[in-house]
Amino acid sequence: MVAGAAGRGLGREFRWLWTAYAVSVCGTRLAFDALPLIAVLVLDVGPAEVSALAATGLAVGAAVAVPLGPWVEFRRKRPVMIGTDLLRAGALLTVPAAYALDLLSFPQLLLVSVVVAAADITFGAASGAFLKSLLPPEHLLTANGRFEATNWTATMLGPPLGGAAIGLLGPVVTLVTDAVSYLLSATALRAIGDTERSAERLGERPSKPPAHPGEAPTEEAPIGEAPTGEAPTGEAPIGEAPTGEAPTDGTPPEPAAPRLRARDLLDGWRYILTSPALRPLFLNTILVNGLIMATAPLLLVLMVGELGFTPWQYGLAFALPCVGGLIGSRLARRLVARHGQHRVLLATGALRACWPVGLAFIHPGATGLVLVMAVELGLITCMGVFNPVMATYRLDETPPDRVARTLSAWSVTSKLTIAALTALWGLLAAVTDPRTAVAAAGALMLATPLLLPRHRPARPSPKDDTAELKG
């Protein structure tokens, strides 16, 4: 699950990046729903407060992260990733500290959820841009497939182990584990070394135009070095003189970072919504993810509250099918090599929408449990193929100087949509019943393949990109 023999072909830097991802995602899955569990077990709050905790963390954290996407774009990504790891670790550790001192409160849990959500979005934007600068385009699908396999492995094993740990060691133990995982992630990221390519400055012409998908990438200077005959760009490396001051080694001073304007906050959305390739994919993934997450609490109420499944059966029903994510992530590269990236994207994007409607037919007993597992296995297997192909397609269609803004806008919209749809589907379930709300989400999901990109248009020329940035 962590970097090993399978990752050696992608280089030492990628192995450390993969290690950082593996330890942090394992910690996060072990601490799955830890804050709501602590709210219920320690603070004895009701369903309204638990729902507010989930929605507030997503919505407010996403709003806080809006200006961070443009800010991250023109900073070195590795220090940003390390900083957000340390921030998440520090925020999480305040909970066990307050618990030990008998000072824990619901507002503190709300604040921690907001900080972690904003840091998650910032880390995701920086890590996507860092990955694109680290590997050549032909290796991105392999890398994203390994991240996907790691994620599903952790999702399969983490929540059951975390639940057992809470039962044996108390309600805050998984949060401590999650915080430690972020510290280990920061350590692994630091081990990569200062090999990052400097970010392009806002309004400056890229030193080399980005390669179009399917074409050989243009020749670039080694990572961390300036192209021949050009002054280096980006922030001063750690230990060197600040921007605008003469470094001690005699190299020319680096230009100051651009001042962000109000319109810069919308650059990510502006690029996504004006891109014929990204706009339909964006709408599709935002809606599908929102509908899947909106029905999660309803399935809990339906299965445990109405149909009489035990908590361990509920956990097993959603943990065991995660093996499909491993299968799908392993198949992704082979399918793309045989059928092409765009065809695989369309096929698996359409297939993943066909499964959730089956959850409306859950019934009590062993056959009902098998039905849930079969539906989830089909859904997660399709997602295991779709997600790394989609992530690679998105990076392919995004110029290097827009990756952080694009990924930040994507993640912010996703979290806000999940929060809104969760609240809306909760109201629908209150007016009708959980089964009807689950069925409505499944039926709506069947229409989402219409939003997938039918054709892969040519990317705008670098000249047009530069002109739009300056405008």
Side-chain angles (χ1 to χ4, degrees):
M1 185 168 60
V2 296
R8 289 172 188 163
L10 300 181
R12 183 190 69 86
E13 292 85 1
F14 175 77
R15 291 200 301 274
W16 280 118
L17 179 64
W18 190 13
T19 298
Y21 177 82
V23 295
S24 65
V25 77
C26 286
T28 300
R29 296 298 180 264
L30 280 168
F32 181 72
D33 275 349
L35 291 179
L37 282 171
I38 290 172
V40 172
L41 297 176
V42 178
L43 302 179
D44 197 28
V45 303
E49 289 86 352
V50 172
S51 298
L53 180 61
T56 301
L58 288 174
V60 180
V64 170
V66 168
L68 296 178
W71 179 83
V72 170
E73 193 76 78
F74 308 105
R75 300 300 185 277
R76 289 183 182 271
K77 308 306 183 291
R78 191 177 64 98
V80 171
M81 294 157 67
I82 293 173
T84 52
D85 271 342
L86 297 178
L87 177 62
R88 288 182 287 189
L92 291 174
L93 287 174
T94 65
V95 175
Y99 173 76
L101 297 172
D102 199 23
L103 297 175
L104 188 63
S105 65
F106 187 72
Q108 180 184 354
L109 296 184
L110 283 174
L111 180 59
V112 170
S113 69
V114 168
V115 171
V116 172
D120 285 345
I121 295 173
T122 306
F123 184 95
S127 62
F130 184 76
L131 178 65
K132 180 158 183 170
S133 73
L134 191 66
L135 297 178
E138 62 270 18
H139 289 164
L140 289 176
L141 179 56
T142 300
N144 283 317
R146 289 171 187 172
F147 289 139
E148 187 74 9
T150 303
N151 175 60
W152 287 115
T153 302
T155 303
M156 180 170 55
L157 300 177
L161 293 176
I166 289 175
L168 291 173
L169 303 173
V172 299
V173 64
T174 57
L175 276 188
V176 175
T177 304
D178 196 13
V180 171
S181 76
Y182 287 127
L183 296 177
L184 293 174
S185 172
T187 302
L189 291 170
R190 185 173 177 82
I192 293 175
D194 192 17
T195 59
E196 187 178 357
R197 205 179 271 114
S198 297
E200 295 290 348
R201 294 299 183 188
L202 184 63
E204 291 185 359
R205 183 180 300 275
S207 57
K208 295 285 184 181
H212 290 261
E215 295 180 4
T218 54
E219 184 178 355
E220 297 179 346
I223 294 176
E225 298 181 11
T228 304
E230 297 184 11
T233 59
E235 297 182 349
I238 298 174
E240 295 187 7
T243 301
E245 300 179 11
T248 56
D249 61 359
T251 57
E254 296 184 354
R259 180 177 297 176
L260 292 178
R261 301 161 296 178
R263 69 182 301 271
D264 296 333
L265 301 182
L266 301 179
D267 275 347
W269 286 278
R270 188 178 297 116
Y271 180 71
I272 291 171
L273 296 177
T274 56
S275 167
L278 293 184
R279 182 176 60 250
L281 187 64
F282 172 72
L283 297 175
N284 173 272
T285 56
I286 294 302
L287 183 56
V288 169
N289 292 341
L291 289 171
I292 290 174
M293 296 305 297
T295 57
L298 306 182
L299 288 169
L300 173 62
V301 172
L302 178 61
M303 292 182 66
V304 178
E306 296 185 9
L307 300 180
F309 290 101
T310 62
W312 75 264
Q313 288 175 319
Y314 173 79
L316 183 66
F318 292 95
L320 193 58
C322 289
V323 70
L326 294 175
I327 296 171
S329 61
R330 294 297 296 250
L331 289 175
R333 186 179 180 186
R334 298 177 186 177
L335 290 173
V336 168
R338 183 170 182 176
H339 301 288
Q341 182 189 55
H342 193 255
R343 186 175 296 177
V344 171
L345 190 74
L346 287 177
T348 56
L351 286 173
R352 86 194 199 284
C354 298
W355 295 96
V357 71
L359 295 173
F361 301 98
I362 301 174
H363 52 271
T367 56
L369 189 64
V370 170
L371 173 63
V372 176
M373 289 183 179
V375 169
E376 289 295 315
L377 178 63
L379 172 64
I380 292 173
T381 302
C382 292
M383 291 174 65
V385 179
F386 177 85
N387 288 345
V389 176
M390 182 277 293
T392 304
Y393 179 93
R394 184 172 57 186
L395 287 177
D396 286 343
E397 294 295 335
T398 307
D401 59 344
R402 296 185 184 219
V403 174
R405 284 171 287 179
T406 299
L407 296 184
S408 177
W410 202 295
S411 185
V412 165
T413 307
S414 179
K415 290 184 181 297
L416 290 175
T417 303
I418 289 171
L421 289 180
T422 299
L424 181 60
W425 250 254
L427 290 174
L428 178 60
V431 173
T432 58
D433 57 74
R435 187 186 298 274
T436 301
V438 169
L444 184 57
M445 193 96 71
L446 293 174
T448 58
L450 297 175
L451 296 174
L452 289 167
R454 296 297 166 185
H455 304 286
R456 183 168 184 168
R459 186 183 300 168
S461 69
K463 180 178 180 180
D464 293 339
D465 282 347
T466 306
E468 184 179 338
L469 274 173
K470 289 185 176 179

